[in-house]
Amino acid sequence: MILAEELTKILSSDQVTQNLTILQQHSQDESFHEPHLPDVVVFPKSSNDVSRILSFANEHRIPVVPFGAGSGLEGHAIPVQGGITLDFALMNRILEIYPSDFCVKVQPGVTRLQLNKELKKYGLFFSVDPGADATLGGMAATNASGTTAVRYGIMRDQVRDLEVVLADGRTIHTGGQAVKSSSGYHLNGLFTGSEGTLGVFTELTLKVYGIPECVMAARAAFPTVKQALNTATSILTAGIPIAKMELVDSRSILQMNRFQETDYPVMPTLFLEFHGNDNGLEQETAFTRLIAEEQACVDFIYESDSKERKKLWKARHHLSYAFRHGSPGKHIEGTDVCVPLSCLADSIEHARKKMEEADIDGAVIGHIGDGNYHTLLVIDPDDPNDRKKAHEINKAIVEFALQHGGTCTGEHGVGLGKIRYQRTEHGNALDVMMDLKRLLDPNHILNPGKLFPMSSPSTLNIN
Amino acid sequence: MILAEELTKILSSDQVTQNLTILQQHSQDESFHEPHLPDVVVFPKSSNDVSRILSFANEHRIPVVPFGAGSGLEGHAIPVQGGITLDFALMNRILEIYPSDFCVKVQPGVTRLQLNKELKKYGLFFSVDPGADATLGGMAATNASGTTAVRYGIMRDQVRDLEVVLADGRTIHTGGQAVKSSSGYHLNGLFTGSEGTLGVFTELTLKVYGIPECVMAARAAFPTVKQALNTATSILTAGIPIAKMELVDSRSILQMNRFQETDYPVMPTLFLEFHGNDNGLEQETAFTRLIAEEQACVDFIYESDSKERKKLWKARHHLSYAFRHGSPGKHIEGTDVCVPLSCLADSIEHARKKMEEADIDGAVIGHIGDGNYHTLLVIDPDDPNDRKKAHEINKAIVEFALQHGGTCTGEHGVGLGKIRYQRTEHGNALDVMMDLKRLLDPNHILNPGKLFPMSSPSTLNIN
């Protein structure tokens, strides 16, 4: 069977390509995982297109991998078994904005910045910010989160409904337009974060929020990571509805200063953001400052000016670039675990120690209101020894997290990189997950090779 | 087989009873649904007890129904096919409070008031308040919510981990202690709200919050329901993090005044609660007042005093009693739908019209930040005509909700009463739900007769 030819019987020929450059673009994501070419890339224009492709693929046991912006960090979009990559570039319309229902209906190829630009006209915003300008379909597939999760929740919290095409081509809706429901099983939650392994999203209804009246940022430097984290816990205990609360360790601040021309004190630092009204924020920030000072905070600076605030968050978001630019030719490998807040300080200390022992430079940063932290490891991608060291550090960090009640991935997802930790993390719940996979994708065509240590499907001979 | 005798081989004899009074107590909940006796009531003391009972029941195809406080409103705990009722009265311990992790580990028989009493010592609280002093196991099973969901979310949002005994006696954990995770399928969400049909909860890890510095309540009366609801939408658009936002219609206010000796203006009224710091609340309430006045609010009263605040919420929570006491011998039947906010005013108007057409008195009240509203219908339980009218009103309300993108149940769950609407609401997603049920409970022993229009299992002859 000539796969591309068969597909042009289903879609129009300009929706199907085997152009090598395009295949290569769809062979990788932003991670360190080995690229692999798909056999063909198709560009569906509708749910119906997706449904017909899946019916065909299911019948012929051909792997199908959905592709958004390619900004994933665990290899989700890499078609490790070849087959069909579904690129949602042509399904990138904002279908409807419902201002008084605080929700929007979008196609999966819409990116979060595209959505926020449009929402702004209505005084609304979409809260999840994973850093990259990811597609909303991809963010739902990996259950993305980021800096604002401490206040507004993760991607799964925003999903009211998904239109999902199942492996056999059936189309279902997992939820509805109501804010909440106790009707039936929570398919919204099951499909969000399923990483393309249970179905393909063709439409998303997502929660949005009113833009807060006032936004204020602050930066607070502490002698130790522990004191910064104690401050974070006290902020939460006080019920202060903090909107962002990021830890940047002192090594990272040093690199930030070099790259961004900032002159922040080279100490463990909290980057904070408050959303509310101006009176409330005044009191919240004053109270936060008091809490911080009890933890020996040596430098507490407000950035109420929007330009200064942008500079602060830019510095935070460009940390990976800062390290890369500081070490030409080097790459950054990230780690991503989430631990109970009470052991976050120990986890971070442990991670930094592992980096030092291996003589690997890099950052330690965290969405610490959630207990989610990352290391950014600076390595030479062509040095097998460096790659091995990065792998070992990642392993040590994950194992420490799992030993302390945490999870192997806070927000990047399982993809290829965290499969090996699934049994330890989930115990025999993994059997239930694998049963769900077999139930909904019996021929194992949906993003095979991801999430589970399951065998590959028996694919036909395709080219 | 003598069921009770067999069970005393598994548990100690004081954990197994066929005492008629106890069987009767477990034959019903707070709803209008027909009682049905279980064959036997058992009181497990541990996960292990539950596991052994389920293994036995699964082998012998005996229905198993978990029972918490019996405060459900859709017949969930009624053992419509007899069998074993599992009462969690002996599994009512708060196992651990993790103040710096903002979570608690409890057994399923712990009630929410019991938990909040203990949490107060740590400056923490558990947010979900469905009115009744339900057990946390029951609240997780039905995905309960209530007045605070607009700010803190519903029950499903609070669940970090469930220990679940599956139909075959296997025990799994659906999550972990981390605040968030992108690892594996969201079993937390799948099991929460599964109404005892997929597994039995034996331990819950739940999110808790820091008690806010300041709490302030307010009451605002409007000429029309529409104006009250416009105010609610504007409050949300403005990004005011309102903690409670309840609509009470004018007929309900009248009854409230008669029963509670309040003298609230007999008009559609918003009951509001704000959580924050005092400066912030001052500005939030002032801004809310401005928004309300734009909608012709005629009476805006603050209740910052905790005694007055309690009186206000007591009046709201005792509305059902107020109607019952006003009509001796009558019963209250509730309805429970959730609709997109944009059609809430029309839905409420439609509901009140249906009540008037049927000449049925009662309340219309709503958790309107979520679009969730209830009617409380005052009927004579011995009058078949009244029961029929209540049934018709409920049906009309649900159908209106489903026609407008809403759900047949906002917070009470499906149980027995909403089975008939599942196909209309979920379309072919219901097939996926039924497949999940078959996968996890192939012998159909777990709370059979609930949630789905599925056939009963072939039960053995039990007595």
Side-chain angles (χ1 to χ4, degrees), chain A residues 151-152 212 214-219 235 240-244 271-277 280-289 300 302 309 313:
Chain A
R151 165 86 170 249
Y152 299 99
C214 252
V215 176
M216 197 181 237
R219 185 164 49 76
I235 288 171
I240 296 171
I242 193 96
K244 298 182 186 178
F271 284 31
L272 306 167
E273 193 166 286
F274 302 83
H275 293 177
N277 63 54
L281 290 199
E282 203 176 294
Q283 189 167 342
E284 278 173 20
T285 49
F287 191 33
T288 300
R289 184 183 195 129
F300 195 102
Y302 299 112
R309 215 172 60 229
W313 290 114

Side-chain angles (χ1 to χ4, degrees), chain B residues 405-458:
Chain B
T407 173
C408 71
T409 167
E411 56 184 12
H412 296 168
V414 175
L416 293 167
K418 299 289 171 67
I419 292 175
R420 72 195 73 185
Y421 306 113
Q422 293 298 291
R423 178 60 70 182
T424 310
E425 177 164 349
H426 300 297
N428 56 359
L430 186 64
D431 299 327
V432 174
M433 295 182 197
M434 291 200 286
D435 283 344
L436 294 174
K437 167 70 176 174
R438 285 186 202 101
L439 174 72
L440 287 165
D441 181 21
N443 296 326
H444 209 78
I445 62 160
L446 294 172
N447 210 359
K450 312 296 162 59
L451 228 164
F452 295 114
M454 285 172 94
S455 59
S456 56
S458 57

Side-chain angles (χ1 to χ4, degrees), chain B residues 274-412:
Chain B
F274 302 84
H275 293 177
N277 63 54
D278 50 5
N279 278 355
L281 291 199
E282 204 176 293
Q283 189 166 342
E284 279 174 20
T285 49
F287 191 34
T288 300
R289 184 183 194 130
L290 270 180
I291 291 170
E293 281 167 359
E294 266 175 35
Q295 294 293 329
C297 172
V298 294
D299 190 44
F300 195 102
I301 306 290
Y302 300 111
E303 315 278 20
S304 56
D305 174 58
S306 99
K307 209 176 123 197
E308 285 304 306
R309 214 172 61 228
K310 275 192 185 137
K311 190 175 152 193
L312 185 151
W313 290 114
K314 195 179 150 203
R316 161 66 186 81
H317 283 300
H318 287 197
L319 200 50
S320 175
Y321 301 104
F323 273 99
R324 231 180 300 161
H325 283 245
S327 311
K330 298 272 182 127
H331 273 208
I332 304 293
E333 277 197 28
T335 66
D336 165 48
V337 296
C338 188
V339 297
L341 296 180
S342 58
C343 82
L344 185 55
D346 288 349
S347 302
I348 285 175
E349 194 187 327
H350 167 265
R352 178 55 81 188
K353 192 163 151 256
K354 289 289 160 192
M355 289 165 71
E356 282 167 1
E357 281 171 8
D359 194 25
I360 292 285
D361 190 22
V364 179
I365 50 179
H367 312 310
I368 54 164
D370 310 319
N372 182 201
Y373 78 95
H374 306 296
T375 63
L376 303 177
L377 309 173
V378 182
I379 62 161
D380 179 347
D382 300 322
D383 180 348
N385 197 33
D386 261 23
R387 298 201 76 119
K388 185 162 174 271
K389 283 179 181 175
H391 175 78
E392 292 297 327
I393 292 169
N394 192 2
K395 188 163 171 276
I397 286 173
V398 170
E399 284 170 355
F400 192 92
L402 294 181
Q403 280 155 19
H404 292 82
T407 173
C408 71
T409 167
E411 56 184 12
H412 296 168

Side-chain angles (χ1 to χ4, degrees), chain A residues 322-373:
Chain A
F323 274 98
R324 230 179 303 162
H325 283 245
S327 310
K330 298 272 182 129
H331 273 211
I332 303 293
E333 276 196 29
T335 66
D336 165 49
V337 296
C338 189
V339 297
L341 296 181
S342 59
C343 80
L344 185 55
D346 288 348
S347 303
I348 285 175
E349 195 188 326
H350 168 265
R352 178 54 82 188
K353 193 164 149 253
K354 289 289 159 192
M355 289 165 70
E356 282 167 0
E357 282 171 9
D359 194 25
I360 292 286
D361 190 22
V364 178
I365 49 179
H367 311 310
I368 54 165
D370 310 319
N372 183 201
Y373 78 95

Side-chain angles (χ1 to χ4, degrees), chain B residues 11 24 92 111 274 290 439:
Chain B
L11 306 175
Q24 278 166 345
N92 68 341
T111 73
F274 302 84
L290 270 180
L439 174 72

